[in-house]
Amino acid sequence: MLVDGFGRELTEIRMSLTDRCNFDCVYCHNEGLGDTRGPMAPRDEEMTTDEVVRVLSVAADLDVEAVKLTGGEPMLREDLEEIVRRAPDGMEVSLTTNGSFLPGRAEGLVEAGLERVNVSQDAVDPEAFAEITKSGAYDRVVEGVDAALEAGLDPVKLNMVVFEGTVEYVPQLVDRVAERDGLRLQLIEYMPEIAGHPEWAVDVDRVHEWLDDRADRVETREMHDRKRYFVRAEDGDGEGMVEVVDPVENADFCESCHRVRVTHDGSLKGCLNRPRVHPMGELSEAEIRAAFHEVVGDRVPYYGEFMVEEDGEWVRNDEYVGEPLVVEHGRVTADDD
Ligand code: SAM
Ligand code: SF4
């Protein structure tokens, strides 16, 4: 098992399968890689099915226990079912999706071995949804959530990014999970990386305070010291669960972070904000393994400042973000691109 310089074991990877997306959410950080929407056809730089499976198999050899498949929109990959099926035995496979392709595919994914799903949903009415995601697919997403529940992926976690443009919809999403069995809600603090606009951030403590009032009971989980809010529907006996994911400048969050990221082109990142380490060539097992060692060795203890204010403008903090690195034949060099 790989352990970083601060004692954190690497137990999980978050793997982006593509940076293409059929939505264009205004807040999207695209796993730290910039813009998403664009041509929908597969691109050359995306890992092939075999390469994805090879990275997963090296990760399994390094005792990584779980992978979360993400993107861009991972369901744009037609080989997703095959990837899930060929993931190493014993590795938990979960998926984060915008949900619009789940109708018709949720069942096949479960048959292939998918164990959990998160579906992004930032609003409960089509107009507000369209404004945030630049997509008219609201009904498909709602159908997708149903399809996931029917396929047995219960509990389905709804992901909502909380920022200026969505904060007013929090009560409605909370009601939705209180009313509907099998749903949970993750309120994700807006991270200004790549998406820019630090001014869109809202004070997440206010969200916690509101939930404290709204909840019937509150539990604190050991991991990340994270609270779980249990909420009841006004006219029912069901109970929903809400969590707040608040990594921004949260040292407790970083202290219990056991994951690294794999980008769609096979680079590794120790954190959303950290430089990429790219195994060159054909992504051989040896190079992938060397990249894992490099990126885990390069992890920092704390989230850090991705953007800093200079003369009234927010700019990228190059000192913190650093330059991309390349692993070639086991050697690490700077990426000239
Ligand atoms: N397309 C899929 C989806 O939307 O779920 C997967 C990729 S998306 C980049 C993965 C997660 O990152 C989603 O839950 C999304 O809401 C979240 N996310 C994207 N941009 C974010 C930001 N600026 N701050 C916080 N979370 C963000
Ligand atoms: Fe980004 Fe996901 Fe929205 Fe696509 S659906 S723009 S990847 S957050």
Side-chain angles (χ1 to χ4, degrees):
M1 173 170 289
L2 292 179
V3 183
D4 72 16
F6 309 92
R8 294 169 299 189
E9 295 171 339
L10 176 68
T11 56
E12 192 188 323
I13 55 177
R14 185 175 175 102
M15 177 185 265
S16 172
L17 294 177
T18 177
D19 72 343
R20 295 172 284 134
C21 188
N22 55 325
F23 287 11
D24 194 11
C25 304
V26 293
Y27 55 71
C28 184
H29 57 44
N30 184 24
E31 300 300 307
L33 295 184
D35 206 11
T36 44
R37 189 165 250 166
M40 286 297 120
R43 298 215 193 113
D44 286 349
E45 80 253 21
E46 283 178 11
M47 284 184 284
T48 63
T49 319
D50 285 346
E51 285 171 338
V52 168
V53 172
R54 203 171 311 142
V55 172
L56 293 178
S57 124
V58 171
D61 285 348
L62 295 170
D63 295 327
V64 169
E65 297 158 2
V67 59
K68 183 171 282 288
L69 301 171
T70 181
E73 177 43 51
M75 293 199 72
L76 282 173
R77 293 238 353 194
E78 286 173 9
D79 58 353
L80 181 62
E81 288 77 356
E82 183 183 347
I83 290 169
V84 174
R85 192 171 315 109
R86 290 175 59 192
D89 288 345
M91 185 179 271
E92 184 195 83
V93 184
S94 61
L95 175 72
T96 300
T97 171
N98 65 30
S100 60
F101 299 108
L102 279 171
R105 279 177 80 184
E107 211 169 310
L109 283 167
V110 171
E111 273 163 24
L114 185 72
E115 290 176 65
R116 292 190 293 127
V117 71
N118 291 47
V119 181
S120 293
Q121 192 180 336
D122 299 302
V124 290
D125 85 77
E127 263 172 49
F129 184 87
E131 197 168 316
I132 299 158
T133 62
K134 308 294 172 220
S135 130
Y138 178 78
D139 292 340
R140 292 285 291 172
V141 172
V142 173
E143 274 172 47
V145 171
D146 289 344
L149 288 171
E150 275 159 31
L153 287 167
D154 170 347
V156 171
K157 278 194 182 175
L158 300 184
N159 279 359
M160 174 185 197
V161 177
V162 181
F163 74 113
E164 238 181 32
T166 55
V167 68
E168 65 185 292
Y169 310 127
V170 169
Q172 294 163 2
L173 259 303
V174 169
D175 286 346
R176 166 74 48 102
V177 299
E179 284 157 12
R180 181 85 200 270
D181 281 349
L183 294 185
R184 291 184 177 177
L185 180 62
Q186 281 204 135
L187 298 173
I188 306 176
E189 182 179 17
Y190 168 67
M191 293 178 258
E193 292 82 0
I194 314 298
H197 299 291
E199 73 282 3
W200 285 358
V202 296
D203 180 2
V204 85
D205 288 342
R206 274 179 40 219
V207 179
H208 279 291
E209 277 164 28
W210 183 86
L211 283 167
D212 256 327
D213 275 353
R214 170 72 176 81
D216 299 285
R217 62 193 177 89
V218 183
E219 279 175 9
T220 304
R221 277 169 87 189
E222 213 173 287
M223 188 182 82
H224 304 319
D225 207 17
R226 197 182 280 175
K227 282 183 170 174
R228 287 178 150 179
Y229 298 91
F230 292 88
V231 289
R232 279 190 186 287
E234 300 220 327
D235 52 355
D237 341 308
E239 190 181 56
M241 208 248 293
V242 184
E243 283 183 300
V244 182
V245 181
D246 47 358
V248 180
E249 304 193 3
N250 179 350
D252 289 337
F253 186 95
C254 299
E255 194 184 345
S256 45
C257 173
H258 297 275
R259 58 163 59 152
V260 299
R261 292 169 187 256
V262 183
T263 64
H264 65 289
D265 62 354
S267 305
L268 303 187
K269 280 170 136 244
C271 174
L272 190 69
N273 293 340
R274 297 293 291 156
R276 293 207 251 170
V277 175
H278 189 56
M280 290 302 281
E282 305 261 301
L283 289 173
S284 73
E285 284 199 13
E287 281 172 351
I288 298 167
R289 182 177 284 269
F292 267 108
H293 277 272
E294 178 64 27
V295 90
V296 170
D298 191 43
R299 291 193 80 204
V300 291
Y302 181 54
Y303 183 94
E305 282 182 299
F306 182 83
M307 298 187 88
V308 283
E309 206 171 356
E310 265 177 26
D311 304 327
E313 295 236 338
W314 288 93
V315 294
R316 197 177 105 125
N317 183 1
D318 284 329
E319 216 171 289
Y320 179 75
V321 180
E323 293 305 322
L325 301 170
V326 174
V327 174
E328 199 167 10
H329 310 306
R331 278 184 315 111
V332 182
T333 51
D335 189 350
D336 296 331
D337 292 348

